Amino acid sequence: MTSDTTLESENLVADGLFAPVTVTVDESGISHIDAQSPEDVFFAQGYIAARDRLFQLDWWRRKGLGLISEVLGPHYVERDRAARLFLYRGDQVADWQSYAPDAQSAVRRFVAGINAFIAATEAEASLLPPEFTKLGYAPSRWAPEDVSRIRSHGLFGNLEQEVARAQTLHKFGPQVEDLRRHREPAIAVTVPEGLDLSLLDDEVLRVYRLATGPVSTTPLPAQEPDGSNNWAIAATRTATGRPILASDPHRAIGLPSLRYLVHLRCPEFDVIGAGEPALPGVSLGHNGHVAFGLTIFPVDQEDLYVYELHPDDPSLYRYLDEWRRMESVTESIPVAGAPDAEVTLAHTVHGPVIHVDHGQKAAFAVRAAWLEPGMAPYLASLAYLRARNGSDFADAVARWRAPGVNHVYADIDGSIGWSARALVPVRPNWDGLLPVPGDGRFEWDGFQPADALPSVVDPPRGWVASANEMNLPGTDEWDSIPVSYEWYANCRAQRIAEVLSDDSKMTLARSAALQNDYLSIPAREVCALLTRTPSEDPDTDEAVRLLTEWDHRMSATSSAAALFETWFRGELRTELYDRFLQNTVDAVQTADALAATLPDETMAGDPAVDLLLLRHEHARDPERLQAVLGRTLVNAFRRLKETLGEDHSTWTWGRLHRTVFRHPLHSVVDDPSDPWMTLGPYPKHGSPDTVGVASYDPRTGFQTAGATFRMVIDVGNWDASIAINAPGQSGDPRDGAYQDLIDDWLTDAYFPLHYSAHAIEQCARSTFHLRPGSPT
């Protein structure tokens, strides 16, 4: 890639521009794009996104369209076939009309900008990032439909829970299922009439996992969609008398960052913030009138249908008392080093067929709301770029369908608000917790209208917030409709509410500190149960002392944090679950039931069941609970002595809990030795339960999810706003902005989110000009 100094001295020609565009790159790597029209600002956004993130963009497109085999060879054909099963194949006109009036135009111009940069790499090969050289291929041109047809990158996951629930019920019964997964509201699970639970084995989800997971020849179980935090604080509750908005979406830790900050300025709008590099516009940020942020609102948007197959013809399935033939299409997948592969994609009336069990004469298909028109993730954010106040913003997000999202906003007039928006299926005769027979008795009855979901404007308490918790209002405030029964633990929401509810005035610095708050609510509750009574065992006394004198903050330098997390998610959890199961299942089933119910928290922590069990034990027999706490705690203490050394003063949570940024090619190329493929490991504060989320893989201790992007907006004094985006803005390993923000991120620091022309001029690192070439 040419350096910024070279770019600074050049006017770059971009075929397809209508008028000149100026791009100023600031000291944090943010491109501020000035154009004379929306058409040119979206074109330039695509061009600059490709300049900074070309391989990431190309990989996103190849994963979604099922074109990985064209680069990596025949081992990935099955994965490509799976991806193609989940492409949007509906009415393209209806799809474009769902997002925003100018969505198709915006995407067309954005894609033209990407293609213009690809054309530049064809003329100057040194512009290509090293991934293309390593894999020996060149990037392909985009079509506008690529952006809207790809849906498998979204945040969904109910299908995994449906199958896991069916397996648990079949093997162990409803009490064990209650232990496996906490439901809100706590309804009983009812098996749909005619559903044979024995059919739901792990193979059922193989194709679904290949389609929605990372590039791999081995299907990995889909993890819980990552969480997020956001809040908006009214002017009456802040030190400046202006609203504050904060948002920190939590996603998988990767290289480069999923989020990409950009500033888009034209006569129609002036918006700055973050989105995903493969999409035009901005999803989180502000436009000089309204600031906006989002978190996941975990709506149930998927169902698995189970069909009886014709005994003599597996392409026929029973539906409405007749045999109906699956719709099939044959496609050709290009394969590196081998002939093209012909694959067949089958669909039922409900959706793509993901598995056929020939022995049991059964087939399985997915109905997903995200395969409906208007469900390309985050693309609906185009509708609110021009909002002039909170009311405009609320009207614009009525178009929002995917993923399910809690929107918060704050405007310059002082209004704040929250709106939950998603495409919510209406299930008239079942709850969505289990697969259902595909014979026509279990059908969606359309979708809930947008205004059926709750919203709040200017609440008396002076703030709104969300953290993926069960946040549906009470029945006195809202006519409740079924949305989901599976939410995130409320630990983060509880901690946010504690801080926002105190009497002191909120500042940007306090909001930033709250985004990086590492106090563990479960730790505070569990450690309060410990009693410091002398024992004959010095290890027990020292372990109890460590935790009872601790401030419950999951600091990377804390020895108590290392002990607590090892104990809470290790010995204590296993003991609590095991004790419950011993009274629930036959002795020969206990080990298998324990393996089935212990949570896999790789992406999102869920201590809800643990805390419920502890509260129950404490209420029933507090003395017996003390014995359990003491025994498991000393076992964890001694395990850490073996792991970290006899001297517990040298223990730190950061020795067990670290962040590594890994490039997606790390797991798929034979020689991942290039230093740019792995950055770290770095000791990391936080846990799955803290506002500053740092979920991790217990097998490695490496962080798997968290907020690599954060922003805090001073509404009305825009240049005072701050943000961070780790490891850096660029996706090109040769660029200094590839990893220049890691140290700031690790120390909970931010950079200024410059907005005014004067502020941008003062912090400019480079400025270059795009001028029109040949029209596209």
Side-chain angles (χ1 to χ4, degrees):
M1 178 177 192
T2 54
S3 70
D4 287 329
T5 302
T6 303
L7 289 171
E8 198 171 69
S9 64
E10 291 182 346
N11 288 323
L12 305 178
V13 176
D15 291 346
L17 270 179
F18 299 138
V21 171
T22 298
V23 180
T24 303
V25 181
D26 71 18
E27 58 204 359
S28 303
I30 299 176
S31 293
H32 303 264
I33 301 171
D34 281 282
Q36 298 177 29
S37 67
E39 291 80 10
D40 275 354
V41 86
F42 288 128
F43 180 100
Q45 183 185 9
Y47 187 96
I48 298 304
R51 173 181 171 272
D52 284 346
R53 302 284 189 100
L54 183 58
F55 182 76
Q56 185 183 31
L57 292 177
D58 187 77
W59 207 239
W60 184 94
R61 177 180 174 274
R62 287 186 175 278
K63 284 174 60 181
L65 294 181
L67 292 169
I68 295 295
S69 300
E70 188 175 20
V71 174
L72 297 183
H75 292 300
Y76 293 86
V77 168
E78 187 182 10
R79 195 238 171 257
D80 283 345
R81 176 188 173 276
R84 293 175 181 224
L85 265 176
F86 286 95
L87 288 171
Y88 175 69
R89 297 174 183 271
D91 185 335
Q92 198 69 53
V93 174
D95 189 50
W96 287 123
Q97 291 175 345
S98 300
Y99 303 110
D102 63 341
Q104 186 174 13
S105 171
V107 172
R108 183 184 294 119
R109 295 296 293 161
F110 178 78
V111 164
I114 294 176
N115 290 338
F117 185 78
I118 291 174
T121 69
E122 293 166 352
E124 177 52 67
S126 65
L127 293 173
L128 278 176
E131 294 97 331
F132 293 100
T133 302
K134 190 171 189 68
L135 294 178
Y137 83 99
S140 299
R141 305 293 178 98
W142 289 51
E145 292 73 23
D146 295 346
V147 174
S148 62
R149 293 182 66 213
I150 294 173
R151 306 290 172 85
S152 53
H153 292 308
L155 295 178
F156 317 104
N158 178 256
L159 222 65
E160 289 280 350
Q161 289 302 321
E162 286 188 14
V163 173
R165 182 168 291 111
Q167 292 175 335
T168 305
L169 287 172
H170 175 61
K171 295 176 182 176
F172 309 112
Q175 285 185 290
V176 177
E177 170 55 27
D178 291 344
L179 180 70
R180 187 195 69 84
R181 185 76 175 188
H182 180 58
R183 297 183 298 281
E184 298 179 272
I187 66 167
V189 179
T190 301
V191 179
E193 181 183 355
L195 176 65
D196 183 353
L197 295 175
S198 70
L199 297 174
L200 282 303
D201 59 29
D202 283 340
E203 277 300 301
V204 167
L205 292 181
R206 176 181 174 82
V207 169
Y208 173 84
R209 290 168 174 170
L210 283 171
T212 57
V215 172
S216 173
T217 56
T218 303
L220 302 174
Q223 302 297 335
E224 195 75 19
D226 320 324
S228 303
N229 308 309
N230 64 19
W231 54 85
I233 307 168
T236 57
R237 298 294 310 279
T238 70
T240 63
R242 294 183 299 272
I244 292 173
L245 183 137
S247 193
D248 55 294
H250 307 158
R251 297 297 295 271
I253 300 296
L255 184 63
S257 170
L258 173 70
R259 305 294 177 186
Y260 179 70
L261 284 114
V262 69
H263 185 181
L264 308 175
R265 177 179 287 168
C266 65
E268 284 76 7
F269 52 81
D270 186 354
V271 60
I272 188 170
E276 298 193 7
L279 301 176
V282 165
S283 299
L284 308 99
H286 73 81
N287 63 7
H289 301 274
V290 188
F292 39 85
L294 52 80
T295 70
I296 290 298
F297 180 65
V299 173
D300 179 358
Q301 294 182 315
E302 297 177 325
D303 280 308
L304 182 65
Y305 284 85
V306 184
Y307 306 92
E308 175 191 354
L309 294 181
H310 191 282
D312 301 318
D313 187 347
S315 68
L316 296 176
Y317 64 99
R318 185 177 292 282
Y319 182 75
L320 296 177
D321 295 324
E322 65 179 17
W323 295 109
R324 185 168 297 196
R325 190 169 300 280
M326 296 176 188
E327 296 182 8
S328 296
V329 60
T330 300
E331 294 189 358
S332 180
I333 297 177
V335 182
D340 290 357
E342 299 293 321
V343 296
T344 300
L345 311 175
H347 290 72
T348 69
V349 66
H350 297 115
V353 177
I354 59 170
H355 182 61
V356 175
D357 186 333
H358 293 283
Q360 297 292 329
K361 304 294 183 184
F364 305 81
V366 178
R367 182 159 193 193
W370 46 275
L371 293 179
E372 297 288 328
M375 293 293 284
Y378 300 102
L379 194 54
S381 60
L382 290 167
Y384 53 69
L385 299 186
R386 296 173 172 82
R388 289 296 181 263
N389 51 47
S391 179
D392 286 352
F393 180 80
D395 290 343
V397 298
R399 291 177 172 269
W400 190 282
R401 298 183 176 190
V405 157
N406 294 287
H407 297 277
V408 299
Y409 74 81
D411 69 18
I412 55 176
D413 297 325
S415 181
I416 64 171
W418 160 72
S419 296
R421 292 293 178 261
L423 190 66
V424 181
V426 176
R427 299 176 176 89
N429 60 328
W430 86 105
D431 51 30
L433 289 171
L434 284 165
V436 290
D439 55 16
R441 291 178 295 126
F442 299 91
E443 299 296 333
W444 294 356
D445 187 15
F447 302 94
Q448 299 287 352
D451 60 7
L453 291 172
S455 61
V456 172
V457 176
D458 297 327
R461 68 183 182 182
W463 57 270
V464 293
S466 68
N468 322 113
E469 79 283 11
M470 206 292 282
N471 58 353
L472 299 179
T475 54
D476 291 341
E477 306 169 62
W478 180 61
D479 185 14
S480 179
I481 59 173
V483 170
S484 176
Y485 298 97
E486 297 173 316
W487 307 79
Y488 290 61
N490 69 349
C491 310
R492 290 180 286 115
Q494 181 180 341
R495 178 58 179 161
I496 291 168
E498 288 179 357
V499 174
L500 297 186
S501 297
D502 70 26
D503 293 332
S504 56
K505 295 287 188 178
M506 201 66 176
T507 64
L508 263 69
R510 287 191 66 211
S511 270
L514 181 54
Q515 286 185 329
N516 297 284
D517 186 284
Y518 301 117
L519 187 141
S520 168
I521 293 290
R524 189 172 66 187
E525 179 175 343
V526 175
C527 292
L529 298 173
L530 293 171
T531 57
R532 292 185 66 173
T533 55
S535 74
E536 297 179 358
D537 179 13
D539 282 351
T540 299
D541 291 344
E542 190 58 20
V544 172
R545 185 194 68 80
L546 269 177
L547 294 189
T548 54
E549 294 180 0
W550 177 41
D551 64 3
H552 313 120
R553 297 182 185 276
M554 299 297 298
S555 166
T557 59
S558 170
S559 57
L563 175 58
F564 174 77
E565 194 70 7
T566 300
W567 173 49
F568 180 62
R569 285 187 157 81
E571 278 80 358
L572 180 57
R573 168 175 280 172
T574 301
E575 174 87 3
L576 291 171
Y577 278 58
D578 187 64
R579 287 170 61 85
F580 178 90
L581 291 170
Q582 286 178 10
N583 297 320
T584 308
V585 299
D586 294 337
V588 294
Q589 290 184 298
T590 302
D592 289 342
L594 183 64
T597 53
L598 285 174
D600 177 1
E601 297 185 308
T602 306
M603 297 301 282
D606 186 2
V609 172
D610 308 65
L611 296 178
L612 288 172
L613 290 172
L614 278 168
R615 292 164 192 162
H616 175 74
E617 288 286 327
H618 182 64
R620 188 173 65 89
D621 192 341
E623 186 173 334
R624 186 177 181 183
L625 176 60
Q626 284 300 316
V628 171
L629 296 176
R631 181 174 63 256
T632 56
L633 177 57
V634 76
N635 288 341
F637 185 84
R638 288 168 179 161
R639 180 153 67 94
L640 278 188
K641 289 174 75 171
E642 295 175 0
T643 305
L644 299 181
E646 288 287 330
D647 183 0
H648 66 74
S649 68
T650 67
W651 298 355
T652 64
W653 175 225
R655 289 176 64 185
L656 300 176
H657 183 245
R658 298 170 294 166
T659 295
V660 176
F661 295 94
R662 284 199 171 117
H663 194 282
L665 291 188
H666 184 274
S667 62
V668 298
V669 296
D670 292 332
D671 179 18
S673 59
D674 298 271
W676 48 265
M677 281 199 184
T678 302
L679 305 178
Y682 310 100
K684 187 68 179 73
H685 305 298
S687 80
D689 307 322
T690 56
V691 177
V693 163
S695 299
Y696 62 96
D697 185 337
R699 297 164 296 186
T700 64
F702 291 152
Q703 183 182 0
T704 53
T708 54
F709 165 76
R710 296 185 176 100
M711 69 176 188
V712 183
I713 306 297
D714 188 338
V715 178
N717 184 21
W718 305 113
D719 285 334
S721 304
I722 55 177
I724 189 65
N725 191 34
Q729 273 284 98
S730 177
D732 190 323
R734 301 167 298 179
D735 192 327
Y738 184 67
Q739 55 179 307
D740 61 331
L741 298 175
I742 291 179
D743 288 343
D744 284 347
W745 180 72
L746 289 170
T747 56
D748 302 337
Y750 293 71
F751 57 74
L753 192 60
H754 301 297
Y755 184 68
S756 69
H758 175 73
I760 295 166
E761 181 182 353
Q762 294 300 306
C763 72
R765 190 176 73 192
S766 62
T767 300
F768 60 96
H769 304 278
L770 296 174
R771 61 182 178 84
S774 303
T776 55

